[in-house]
Amino acid sequence: GAVVSQHPSWVICKSGTSVKIECRSLDFQATTMFWYRQFPKQSLMLMATSNEGSKATYEQGVEKDKFLINHASLTLSTLTVTSAHPEDSSFYICSAALSGLPGTEAFFGQGTRLTVV
Amino acid sequence: EDKVVQSPLSLVVHEGDTVTLNCSYEVTNFRSLLWYKQEKKAPTFLFMLTSSGIEKKSGRLSSILDKKELSSILNITATQTGDSAIYLCATYIYNQGGKLIFGQGTELSVKP
């Protein structure tokens, strides 16, 4: 199956700093990627839809100025958590579907565990 | 509002038992329903069920889609400790290129 690579797999940062997480589709082009957040013992919650060459679409309640998304190419989307605080500590996962094939399985990155101290 | 609901939220069984996990959905323009297994990291794909493929099986795992009842079940027979994980059910939102809505997940614990 298609491969989505996410980096880093874990990161610890100080409160007030920014962290960038990368999501790459390795063997296919993804015009759309998705960013999810998962708190312990909870399900995946969609944060935003990342669209190549245009602005991301954020879900209700997600601060777009805090979670900056850039999708500059068909194989790379980045999520930057700005001015991170301890409550931003979570597991962040990206996913992508094969372009032009709606309804196909979504492929997930390995996830990034962010800890803000 | 589109939503996916799973039950039970948690389940503890012993090795060798058979378990059934439930998923119900309310989404406009349903396309497909997916099951994932999540251990410590990102979810791994198990099955995708659509109107043209309402039953899938792989080894000890099987899944059925009931379009009339807007639900799906995931069966695991002869459970093993390695089956311990969170099982997630999700549906696609029509025409939004891969956007998934997830249920809360069922945390399965298989005891030796």
Side-chain angles (χ1 to χ4, degrees), chain A residues 9 32 34 36 38 41-44 46 49 59 91 93 95 97 102-111 113, chain B residues 6 31-32 34 36 38 40-43 45 48 50 86 88 92 96-105 107:
Chain A
S9 56
T32 306
F34 301 90
Y36 295 85
Q38 185 178 36
K41 301 291 186 182
Q42 295 186 25
S43 190
L44 280 72
L46 181 66
T49 303
E59 296 298 303
F91 191 55
I93 311 176
S95 77
T104 55
E105 62 195 78
F107 300 97
F108 285 87
Q110 305 94 315
R113 188 162 301 284
Chain B
Q6 290 184 246
R31 294 291 292 271
S32 55
L34 296 90
Y36 288 87
Q38 185 179 27
K40 298 222 180 278
K41 293 199 173 180
F45 174 76
M48 183 168 72
T50 66
I86 296 174
L88 297 166
Y92 275 110
Q96 292 195 31
K99 177 176 176 178
L100 287 167
I101 289 190
F102 283 87
Q104 318 95 305
E107 185 174 13

